[in-house]
Amino acid sequence: MKTMITTPDGQPRRTLVAFHAHPDDEALLTSGTMAKAAAQGHRVVLVVATDGALGLAGSEYGTADELAARRWDEVSASARGLGVARLETLGYADSGMGPQVFPDPPGKRRFVTVPVEEAAEALAVILREEDADVLVTYDAAGGYGHRDHVRVHEVGARAAELAGTPRVLEATAPRDLLVRALHLVARFYRFPDDFDMAGFERAYSARKDITHRVNVLRQAGAKRASMAAHASQASADGDADRTLAAFLRIPRPLYDIVFGREWFRDPAHVGPVSHDIFAGLTEHEDRAE
């Protein structure tokens, strides 16, 4: 006879798999939700698609290979702080930002050059192993449009189909609220010169399309620590500044206001906005052993 696995408060234990493009992507949009789920007794798995070797960083972080190794250490530290039970990488090379198309590095393939079906099957293997209840990916625009983020959306959607994962949540943000919050922050702190405020006005999702809003105020400390773990992505040469560094300079009361909620879109969701990413999963989807 199978015994139901439950959380400390007697609820069915679920498994959340968060799928991200690069080390550090988990910190901004989903770290609070991941920490909240782990604290409630659910199993949290983090899967990173690429090595992050083309991430912007100060020259002290060395070559692309050295930066990739450092970023794996950083995401490992972030995952430990969030209560992640399993950390995996699909092992693809970072595809980079902007119009430049980078050739594949020796022995690897850029994530965007890998067929969706192939990458999706690699992720589906993990989803099946974990009997995942919820998969977190990105919205169709990849949030702010990074090519690897768009591919995470495509690969994640297909992997969920292959593995029969009951729920796919697209990590996003209501763009109107996000822009208002950024303008508020800009009254007190100067963003880097390359910070594209107009880009955020076109990014993420309209508020009407948000289906899940998660209160992560109690996880604000864990979220901030997750951001801080990615020191390479807060670094720059000379007097340049990075967006992550600017976020980390925001004092806690204001930081909690700006980052105290996380938002998701479930294309299959019907009804009012939900505050629980596991709500409504039916009994036959409960995990058992």
Side-chain angles (χ1 to χ4, degrees):
M1 181 177 179
K2 292 185 177 180
T3 302
M4 183 69 62
I5 304 175
T6 60
T7 62
D9 63 356
Q11 298 300 309
R13 191 191 76 170
R14 307 295 186 178
T15 295
L16 166 65
V17 176
F19 180 41
H20 286 280
H22 315 97
D24 89 318
D25 286 335
E26 84 289 347
L28 184 60
L29 291 181
T30 69
S31 59
T33 300
M34 293 164 66
K36 185 172 188 173
Q40 291 172 337
H42 300 293
R43 181 171 172 84
V44 178
V45 176
L46 173 58
V47 182
V48 182
T50 80
D51 57 13
L54 295 182
L56 300 177
S59 57
E60 70 267 25
Y61 288 96
T63 66
D65 287 343
E66 290 169 336
L67 177 60
R70 174 57 184 262
R71 295 192 71 183
W72 182 253
D73 290 341
E74 290 175 346
V75 75
S76 298
S78 168
R80 287 193 298 271
L82 296 174
V84 169
R86 178 183 178 185
L87 172 64
E88 294 286 349
T89 178
L90 296 188
Y92 301 121
D94 189 343
S95 305
M97 294 179 62
Q100 182 177 358
V101 178
F102 297 89
D104 288 344
K108 282 192 173 183
R109 289 179 294 168
R110 304 286 178 199
F111 186 35
V112 294
T113 70
V114 178
V116 168
E117 195 74 11
E118 179 182 337
E121 180 54 41
L123 177 60
V125 168
I126 298 173
L127 296 177
R128 294 187 194 104
E129 289 174 352
E130 292 291 342
D131 192 16
D133 298 289
V134 177
L135 171 66
V136 169
T137 64
Y138 303 139
D139 60 30
Y144 61 90
H146 191 296
R147 66 187 71 164
D148 280 337
H149 291 216
V150 173
R151 184 51 60 97
V152 161
H153 168 80
E154 298 166 347
V155 168
R158 179 57 179 149
E161 292 177 352
L162 292 171
T165 302
R167 177 168 296 161
V168 178
L169 295 179
E170 300 170 356
T172 187
R175 67 174 69 94
D176 53 341
L177 182 60
L178 176 63
V179 170
R180 286 204 305 272
L182 291 174
H183 279 295
L184 173 64
V185 171
R187 293 173 59 186
F188 303 94
Y189 296 92
R190 181 177 179 273
F191 283 114
D193 291 338
D194 63 352
F195 182 80
D196 182 14
M197 183 70 79
F200 280 96
E201 294 172 351
R202 302 185 298 271
Y204 300 105
S205 302
R207 181 179 294 194
K208 65 180 179 59
D209 295 327
I210 302 293
T211 63
H212 290 71
R213 182 175 66 246
V214 182
N215 186 327
V216 296
L217 276 172
R218 292 186 177 181
Q219 288 73 41
K223 187 179 181 80
R224 192 179 181 99
S226 175
M227 290 186 182
H230 297 284
S232 68
Q233 298 309 289
S235 70
D237 291 329
D239 295 329
D241 202 357
R242 297 292 307 281
T243 301
L244 182 57
F247 286 162
L248 288 169
R249 286 197 299 272
I250 301 172
R252 273 298 297 271
L254 181 56
Y255 180 95
D256 292 3
I257 292 172
V258 174
F259 294 105
R261 289 179 177 79
E262 292 177 349
W263 296 269
F264 304 89
R265 176 180 177 270
D266 176 0
H269 180 82
V270 177
V273 172
S274 175
H275 303 283
D276 181 354
I277 64 170
F278 301 119
L281 290 170
T282 58
E283 288 185 7
H284 76 274
E285 292 160 356
D286 289 344
R287 294 177 55 80
E289 63 176 3

